[in-house]
């Protein structure tokens, strides 16, 4: 996606790999929209920490980061003992898989990398296969998002007002995004649209990241408080909802996504507004049988009790945490929720648009591997 920094417009991917320095390069998303900065993680532990601390976030982006992190960890191994190397890779894999629990993309991405690595007969061969497979995952993520755009654009009519939640845009992937892909494709086809970005407390990814992306892309948009969507739906001011997902169950069509997604799906059903979920194939979990079993990340209570933002004084602006809540109160902070299949109109995938209940029937088209 193109970003304009200090008057200069350049194309960036959210995640890239610097092979010369064995480093993963990431857009520091915690600083956006106030500052655009690229940071490098120098080893797989730093890469895992960047995922946990949400320097990089969004299911597709952390999938690519984990794939590169696995290649980075493999590359750092010295020696030619294949057995020791395999043990080392298993521990790198586990560290990265544990960085954030809800999104399945990191695990699917690393499984792809490991499967490719297994074709190599020496440590050196496996190391270079790992990097090639990570690059392949990142490129495929971009191709999938483009295909989501092609399929999803036909759902968007000229003049539509679309609600989205959290950030399922290019910052949440390697490029383009899932929920935003149909919007960008509709814009490219000359359609006029208006997007409502849910603020998405507690971390405000809608207000900070989605709004920034849409502004860079020159798409008409407004940020709304999370609680405002019901009111706008009731007044007929929202025509369509599109969100992303961190884990979609291939067997049931249930969708885990940012906390508050379920609430929006209930509201959309009540007002008969189509509710779409846009996902690349790496977001499908073909194993789990019940949404209830999806591990839901619980984050630190400070995210609910306060907020990060820019504090301006006469000398300079600086990023600061502001405590909002009553000082003696604690908080509960589940990061994700699960939307049942019956509340979802359809799922937009790179292979087409499917009813949630049809995913399992269509599994061979959707990349299911026995
Ligand atoms: O906690 P985050 O910011 O990583 O959550 C991101 C979301 O919930 C996105 O909607 C989701 O990853 C789907 S788009 C990749």
């Amino acid at each position: 996606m193109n970003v304009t920094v200090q008057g200069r417009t350049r194309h960036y991917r959210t995640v890239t790999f610097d092979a010369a320095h064995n480093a993963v390069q990431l857009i520091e998303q915690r600083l956006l929209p106030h500052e655009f900065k690229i940071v490098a993680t120098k080893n797989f532990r730093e890469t895992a920490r960047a995922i946990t601390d949400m320097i990089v976030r969004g299911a597709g982006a952390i999938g690519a980061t984990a794939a590169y992190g696995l290649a980075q960890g493999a590359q750092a191994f010295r020696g030619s003992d294949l057995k020791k190397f395999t043990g080392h890779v298993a521990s790198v894999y586990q560290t990265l898989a544990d960085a954030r629990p809800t999104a399945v993309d990191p695990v699917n991405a690393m499984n792809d990398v490991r499967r490719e690595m297994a074709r190599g007969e020496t440590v050196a061969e496996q190391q270079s296969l790992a990097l090639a497979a990570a690059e392949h995952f990142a490129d495929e993520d971009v191709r999938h998002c483009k295909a989501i755009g092609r399929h999803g654009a036909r759902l968007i009519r000229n003049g539509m007002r679309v609600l989205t939640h959290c950030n399922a845009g290019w910052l949440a992937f390697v490029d383009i995004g899932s929920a935003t892909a149909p919007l960008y494709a509709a814009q490219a086809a000359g359609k006029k649209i208006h997007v409502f970005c849910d603020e998405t407390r507690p971390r405000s990814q809608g207000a900070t990241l989605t709004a920034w992306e849409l502004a860079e892309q020159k798409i008409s948009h407004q940020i709304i408080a999370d609680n405002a969507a019901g009111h706008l739906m009731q007044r007929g001011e929202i025509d369509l909802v599109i969100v992303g997902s961190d884990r979609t169950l291939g067997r049931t069509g249930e969708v885990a996504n940012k906390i508050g997604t379920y609430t929006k799906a209930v509201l959309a059903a009540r007002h008969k507004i189509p509710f779409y979920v846009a996902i690349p194939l790496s977001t499908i979990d073909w194993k789990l049988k019940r949404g209830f079993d999806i591990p839901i990340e619980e984050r630190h209570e400070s995210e609910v009790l306060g907020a990060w933002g820019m504090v301006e004084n006469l000398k300079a602006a600086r990023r600061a945490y502001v405590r909002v809540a009553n000082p003696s109160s604690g908080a509960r902070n589940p990061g994700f929720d699960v939307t049942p299949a019956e509340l979802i109109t359809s799922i937009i995938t790179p292979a087409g648009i499917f009813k949630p209940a049809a995913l399992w029937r269509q599994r061979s088209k959707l990349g299911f591997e026995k």
Side-chain angles (χ1 to χ4, degrees):
M1 189 59 70
N2 289 337
V3 180
T4 305
V5 186
Q6 291 172 344
R8 207 170 142 241
T9 303
R10 249 192 68 184
H11 182 266
Y12 288 89
R13 280 186 169 195
T14 310
V15 187
T16 53
F17 193 74
D18 172 0
H21 299 96
N22 198 31
V24 183
Q25 294 190 314
L26 303 166
I27 294 174
E28 212 321 355
Q29 298 197 28
R30 297 173 307 179
L31 303 181
L32 287 170
H34 309 291
E35 190 183 339
F36 185 83
K37 186 174 169 186
I38 309 281
V39 296
T41 58
K42 293 181 203 66
N43 57 59
F44 77 88
R45 287 188 201 287
E46 274 186 33
T47 304
R49 168 74 33 213
I51 294 173
T52 304
D53 292 346
M54 295 177 67
I55 288 174
V56 59
R57 33 68 49 206
I62 64 174
T65 305
Y68 283 133
L70 190 62
Q72 178 185 41
Q75 198 64 41
F77 181 84
R78 296 280 163 263
S80 55
D81 184 326
L82 199 51
K83 201 162 165 229
K84 280 196 188 137
F85 175 71
T86 306
H88 166 76
V89 169
S91 113
V92 175
Y93 177 101
Q94 207 48 55
T95 305
L96 289 159
D98 291 344
R100 284 192 84 189
T102 303
V104 77
D105 304 61
V107 166
N108 283 340
M110 290 195 293
N111 289 345
D112 283 1
V113 173
R114 279 225 289 209
R115 203 173 305 115
E116 269 306 295
M117 285 171 76
R119 298 195 307 113
E121 285 171 8
T122 64
V123 169
E125 275 175 20
Q126 292 206 4
Q127 285 170 322
S128 88
L129 283 166
L131 184 51
E135 293 288 11
H136 182 267
F137 180 87
D139 291 343
E140 187 167 74
D141 183 79
V142 179
R143 280 196 298 276
H144 281 186
C145 288
K146 270 192 195 145
I148 289 169
R150 277 197 304 279
H151 293 298
R154 68 182 152 90
L155 304 172
I156 318 273
R157 289 191 306 278
N158 195 34
M160 266 191 163
R161 296 146 306 170
V162 180
L163 176 74
T164 189
H165 190 68
C166 193
N167 172 263
W170 72 273
L171 290 162
F173 290 88
V174 176
D175 204 350
I176 302 167
S178 64
T180 48
L183 306 178
Y184 295 151
Q187 180 196 36
K191 294 178 195 166
K192 291 255 174 303
I193 49 172
H194 183 77
V195 181
F196 289 108
C197 312
D198 275 344
E199 181 185 21
T200 320
R201 278 283 290 151
R203 288 186 69 100
S204 304
Q205 291 95 326
T208 57
L209 305 178
T210 305
W212 178 75
E213 272 190 37
L214 295 175
E216 289 288 317
Q217 191 68 21
K218 301 194 174 26
I219 289 189
S220 163
H221 65 282
Q222 286 168 309
I223 298 160
I224 58 169
D226 291 318
N227 299 332
H231 170 73
L232 294 180
M233 288 182 183
Q234 204 175 39
R235 306 246 158 162
E237 293 188 37
I238 293 176
D239 303 305
L240 186 82
V241 185
I242 310 185
V243 299
S245 167
D246 288 81
R247 190 186 294 242
T248 293
L249 300 198
R251 289 171 186 272
T252 66
E254 288 158 286
V255 163
N257 192 45
K258 180 54 54 195
I259 194 77
T261 302
Y262 169 49
T263 319
K264 298 303 145 72
V266 172
L267 280 168
R270 154 100 189 169
H271 295 96
K272 302 192 172 33
I273 296 168
F275 185 96
Y276 288 95
V277 180
I279 54 163
L281 302 186
S282 60
T283 300
I284 306 178
D285 179 335
W286 293 108
K287 285 203 186 112
L288 275 190
K289 297 202 171 90
R290 306 186 309 162
F292 201 80
D293 295 334
I294 297 174
I296 299 295
E297 178 180 15
E298 291 267 349
R299 294 191 62 88
H300 197 270
E301 63 173 11
S302 62
E303 293 181 350
V304 174
L305 298 174
W308 284 91
M310 292 303 274
V311 177
E312 292 184 25
N313 62 27
L314 288 178
K315 285 196 190 119
R318 83 190 153 81
R319 191 169 170 269
Y321 176 80
V322 181
R323 173 131 189 159
V324 177
N326 173 46
S328 61
S329 301
R332 180 81 195 276
N333 188 12
F336 298 90
D337 58 29
V338 178
T339 299
E342 70 263 24
L343 295 178
I344 298 164
T345 307
S346 284
I347 300 192
I348 312 168
T349 78
I353 302 178
F354 300 95
K355 291 279 169 209
L359 294 180
W360 183 249
R361 266 200 319 280
Q362 300 290 346
R363 60 193 180 279
S364 60
K365 257 195 204 163
L366 291 166
F368 173 76
E369 277 151 18
K370 282 165 232 140

